[in-house]
Structures are given as structure tokens and as C-alpha cells.
């Protein structure tokens, strides 16, 4: 005699909704402007959780005039700044995409870079490269948030490390 086996329910984890932001969207999200606006596009953004972005590196960037002028390389601090700006987009997206979005200027909620840890640079970034940026927000520590960041060119890792950012501005 055969016994009937009840079908088992398999928990399927729903993929979170992602968003993409153009350069014009990013200008509305961040307080930065040229020449300090460092990201061109953001995509796969899970608000408040993670995201990816693009920084197209052009020989016309003002820092190339004085940073190794005969051998153009993007300064590491500018790579870190681009990653930090992606973090801000992920953070602001949480406010914009909420069921009841916050009123006012979303860029006013962008905080500051508080700490850079274990940052390792493993490839030079030069004009013509396209940096793919990744950010994954970690735990909140009061008014601070830890973040894991990466930057690559194609399949080659250019930089990776951890940041601490403030979750708001004061003063």
C-alpha cells in the first residue's frame, strides 16, 4: 500500500525591488556638483541596502592636470569619493522610494565620510577606464553606518575596503 506524501513548501526568497538612477537623478539626490560629482549612473540599487554605479574616467577631469601629468592616473582619494557618493545614492534612495517619501530636498540628508578602513588599491585607473562601483551598507551604529565598497575596471579589482559614513549632516 502506497502512502501519500504531502508536498513540501519551499520558501522562495523574493528578490528585492531594484532601482536605476541617471546622472540627472543623481544631481537631485546629492549635494555635489562638477568637478566633485563623481558618479555617472547608479543601478541595481536596493534602497538602504546596496547598489552599483558607473564612473566613466575621462582625460578631461581636472585632477589629471596635476596628478602625474605625464602618466595620467586617477587619484585613489577620487576613487574613494566615487564609492562614497554611491553610498549616498543608496542611502537617499531609501528616503525617496519609501511608501511615503520624505518632503524637501533629498540631498540635504547626505552625510559625511567619517572613516576609511582597510582600503587596498590593486590596479591603476586611467583615462578611458569605466569604473564599476559597488556598495553594501552594513550595520548602523547610532548616527554612523558601516559600508563595504569595491571598484573594478572590467573584471579587474581596482580598490576595495570599508567606509564609515554619517547618516545626516549637522552644523
Amino acid at each position: 500500500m502506497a502512502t501519500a506524501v504531502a508536498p513540501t513548501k519551499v520558501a522562495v526568497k523574493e528578490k528585492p525591488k531594484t532601482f536605476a538612477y541617471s546622472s540627472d537623478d543623481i544631481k537631485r539626490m546629492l549635494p555635489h556638483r562638477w568637478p566633485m560629482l563623481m558618479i555617472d549612473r547608479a543601478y541595481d540599487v536596493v534602497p538602504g541596502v546596496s547598489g552599483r554605479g558607473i564612473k566613466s574616467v575621462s582625460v578631461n577631469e581636472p585632477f589629471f592636470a596635476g596628478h602625474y601629468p605625464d602618466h595620467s592616473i586617477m587619484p585613489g582619494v577620487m576613487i574613494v569619493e566615487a564609492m562614497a557618493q554611491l553610498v549616498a545614492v543608496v542611502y537617499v534612495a531609501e528616503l525617496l522610494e519609501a511608501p511615503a517619501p520624505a518632503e524637501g530636498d533629498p540631498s540635504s540628508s547626505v552625510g559625511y565620510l567619517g572613516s576609511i578602513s582597510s582600503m587596498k588599491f590593486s590596479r591603476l585607473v586611467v583615462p578611458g577606464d569605466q569604473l564599476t562601483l559597488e556598495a553594501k551598507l552594513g550595520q548602523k551604529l547610532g548616527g554612523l553606518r558601516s559600508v563595504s565598497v569595491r571598484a573594478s575596471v572590467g573584471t579587474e579589482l581596482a580598490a576595495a575596503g570599508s567606509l564609515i559614513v554619517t547618516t545626516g549632516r549637522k552644523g
Side-chain angles (χ1 to χ4, degrees), residues 60-141:
N60 297 324
E61 314 251 10
F63 49 77
F64 285 129
H67 191 256
Y68 294 92
D70 296 328
H71 178 64
S72 300
I73 60 171
M74 185 174 184
V77 295
M78 302 308 274
I79 296 169
V80 172
E81 178 64 23
M83 292 186 287
Q85 288 182 21
L86 176 62
V87 170
V89 167
V90 173
Y91 180 78
V92 171
E94 185 174 31
L95 303 173
L96 292 176
E97 307 302 342
E103 296 288 323
D105 178 11
S107 73
S108 66
S109 65
V110 174
Y112 302 112
L113 179 59
S115 172
I116 303 167
S117 304
S118 305
M119 190 61 64
K120 296 207 187 293
F121 298 93
S122 48
R123 180 195 190 281
L124 296 178
V125 177
V126 298
D129 284 346
Q130 186 176 67
L131 271 177
T132 300
L133 310 166
E134 298 176 41
K136 185 170 183 167
L137 279 61
Q139 75 181 68
K140 292 180 184 177
L141 311 161

Side-chain angles (χ1 to χ4, degrees), residues 20-30 89 96 106:
Y21 301 101
S22 69
S23 60
D24 289 333
D25 295 328
I26 292 167
K27 282 192 280 187
R28 287 187 284 276
M29 297 169 86
L30 301 182
V89 167
L96 292 176

